[in-house]
């Protein structure tokens, strides 16, 4: 494993992180979830990402159990809040002070830890003054419950406003978690330049577009059993990519991966890691073998010629 500094901070995270959206307490049984976490630890992954809303809080609990007994100093535990997780009271959502503080305390319990290494705003909340949000984060940091702050899927302008307040309040705001893959490059034009200026790194999600970039979904073919697309809840999430034009174009990456001596999943993960503002790629896995395969993307350099060919293959999708 290799490690990168997260933003302008003293925190190192593994180039590949493990995330449990749609898998833990959902698609896979508890023993399989533990096996995936063990495979991640064995492969040198130290960074684990979850959110209170995954499986309506149950995914955090599974991760807490799976990491039990692991030396706390040897891992980084990341979670997020924003969406409601319970039956819902008037304050049970968003980035108001009450919801942030209560959510953080609940996540600490489910994850069985005294502190979170990184606490992330899962989305931006237009209905709450950003000053209130940042002050709540500042208090969590001063209380020692949270070491660093991050956000997810914010625009460049929202990140810049957050960073200005964070500076004022001395809040260590050091990361942004966006979707980023060969198929989804939205952050490149504005978010990345803003983050570079502000000392903020990307921790990117869905680097293999939820499995699409493995090439295992063939246009017009039956869905592989046990895959996300064949899973009831997962299928809704992956549906945006299940188009014949996308699946056909992705097949064009197969010879490029083979030429580079990589599997398609490894090529996809290595691709996001070529961006110097990306500190880590969060991979999901329904099986330990997937973790073992994908983690081999660490340290892979893709040359300019290959990057150009990838752009050509995916042009227009
Ligand atoms: P990926 O793009 O890595 O997709 C993971 C899925 O692809 C696996 O669960 C598996 O699904 C399939 N897969 C992985 N490796 C292989 C392989 N080698 N061969 C075949 N299939 C493979 O990431 P996710 O979309 O799962 O997202 C990763 C993490 O990012 C999440 O767990 C979460 O922590 C974070 N995230 C954050 C969001 C946010 O809003 N901040 C939103 C979404 C994710 P299967 O076997 O079932 O087909």
């Amino acid at each position: 494993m290799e490690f990168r500094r997260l933003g302008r901070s003293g925190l190192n995270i593994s180039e590949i992180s493990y995330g449990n959206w749609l898998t833990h307490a959902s698609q896979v049984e508890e023993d399989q979830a533990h096996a995936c976490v063990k495979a991640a630890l064995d492969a040198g992954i130290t960074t684990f990402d979850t959110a209170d809303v995954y499986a309506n809080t149950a995914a955090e609990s599974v991760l807490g159990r799976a990491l039990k007994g692991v030396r706390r100093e040897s891992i980084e535990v990341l979670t997020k809040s924003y969406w409601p997780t319970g039956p819902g009271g008037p304050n049970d959502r968003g980035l108001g002070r009450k919801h942030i503080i209560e959510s953080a305390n609940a996540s600490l319990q489910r994850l069985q830890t005294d502190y979170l290494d990184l606490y992330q705003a899962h989305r931006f909340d237009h209905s709450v003054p950003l000053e209130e949000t940042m002050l709540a984060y500042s208090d969590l940091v001063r209380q020692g419950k949270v070491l660093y702050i991050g956000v997810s899927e914010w625009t460049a302008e929202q990140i810049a406003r957050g960073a200005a307040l964070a500076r004022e309040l001395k809040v260590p705001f050091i990361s942004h978690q966006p979707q980023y893959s060969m198929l989804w490059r939205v952050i490149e034009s504005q978010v990345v330049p803003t983050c570079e200026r502000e000392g903020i790194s990307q921790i990117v999600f869905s680097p293999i577009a939820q499995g699409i970039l493995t090439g295992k979904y063939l246009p017009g073919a039956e869905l592989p059993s046990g895959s996300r697309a064949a899973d009831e809840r997962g299928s809704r999430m992956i549906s945006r990519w299940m188009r014949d034009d996308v699946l056909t174009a992705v097949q064009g990456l197969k010879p490029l991966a083979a030429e580079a001596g990589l599997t398609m999943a490894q090529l996809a993960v290595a691709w996001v890691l070529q961006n110097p503002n990306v500190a880590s790629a969060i991979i999901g896995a329904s099986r330990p073998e997937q973790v073992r395969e994908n983690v081999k993307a660490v340290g892979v350099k893709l040359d300019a010629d290959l990057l150009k060919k990838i752009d050509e293959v995916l042009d227009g999708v």
Side-chain angles (χ1 to χ4, degrees), residues 19-21 23 27 49-50 54 80 122-123 152-153 177 204-211 214 216-217 226-229 265 282-287 290 293-294:
N20 70 356
W21 177 56
T23 52
Q27 182 191 2
D49 181 75
T50 185
Y54 296 169
K80 331 178 184 77
H122 213 151
R123 290 294 181 269
S152 174
E153 290 292 9
Q177 186 178 130
V204 305
F205 71 77
S206 300
I208 58 170
Q210 302 195 43
T214 65
K216 69 181 175 181
Y217 298 110
S227 65
R228 184 170 295 181
I282 318 174
I283 58 164
S286 65
R287 283 154 241 202
Q290 294 174 345
E293 176 186 332
N294 301 359

Side-chain angles (χ1 to χ4, degrees), residues 134-154:
M134 276 299 162
L135 192 60
Y137 286 141
S138 172
D139 289 344
L140 286 171
V141 170
R142 301 311 148 208
Q143 288 166 9
K145 292 180 176 178
V146 165
L147 303 189
Y148 298 93
I149 293 298
V151 302
S152 174
E153 290 292 9
W154 283 24

Side-chain angles (χ1 to χ4, degrees), residues 1 13-19 45-49 78 203 280-284:
M1 183 50 62
I13 63 172
S14 49
E15 283 190 357
I16 296 192
S17 306
Y18 173 87
I45 289 176
T46 61
T47 310
F48 292 85
D49 181 75
L78 285 42
I203 304 177
S280 185
I282 318 174
I283 58 164

Side-chain angles (χ1 to χ4, degrees), residues 18-161:
Y18 173 87
N20 70 356
W21 177 56
L22 295 177
T23 52
H24 291 191
S26 184
Q27 182 191 2
V28 307
E29 299 295 333
E30 178 110 2
D31 57 348
Q32 183 83 333
H34 286 229
C36 289
V37 169
K38 182 170 184 313
L41 290 164
D42 289 347
I45 289 176
T46 61
T47 310
F48 292 85
D49 181 75
T50 185
D52 58 0
V53 76
Y54 296 169
N56 204 19
T57 72
E60 279 189 337
S61 302
V62 174
L63 187 63
R65 289 192 288 274
L67 289 172
K68 209 171 171 146
V70 176
R71 194 173 70 88
R72 183 63 183 85
E73 294 80 359
S74 68
I75 52 171
E76 301 83 48
V77 178
L78 285 42
T79 192
K80 331 178 184 77
S81 66
Y82 172 84
W83 279 293
T85 55
N91 292 300
D92 189 21
R93 68 168 296 127
L95 301 181
R97 181 176 178 80
K98 180 170 164 65
H99 188 234
I100 288 178
I101 304 284
E102 287 168 352
S103 301
N105 284 328
S107 288
L108 288 171
Q109 280 198 1
R110 286 188 291 266
L111 288 162
Q112 304 186 43
T113 180
D114 298 331
Y115 64 93
L116 302 166
D117 295 277
L118 183 75
Y119 196 42
Q120 304 159 101
H122 213 151
R123 290 294 181 269
F124 188 80
D125 188 345
H126 294 275
S127 72
V128 172
L130 194 50
E131 290 78 359
E132 172 175 335
T133 299
M134 276 299 162
L135 192 60
Y137 286 141
S138 172
D139 289 344
L140 286 171
V141 170
R142 301 311 148 208
Q143 288 166 9
K145 292 180 176 178
V146 165
L147 303 189
Y148 298 93
I149 293 298
V151 302
S152 174
E153 290 292 9
W154 283 24
T155 64
E157 190 255 332
Q158 290 161 351
I159 291 169
R161 279 178 56 207

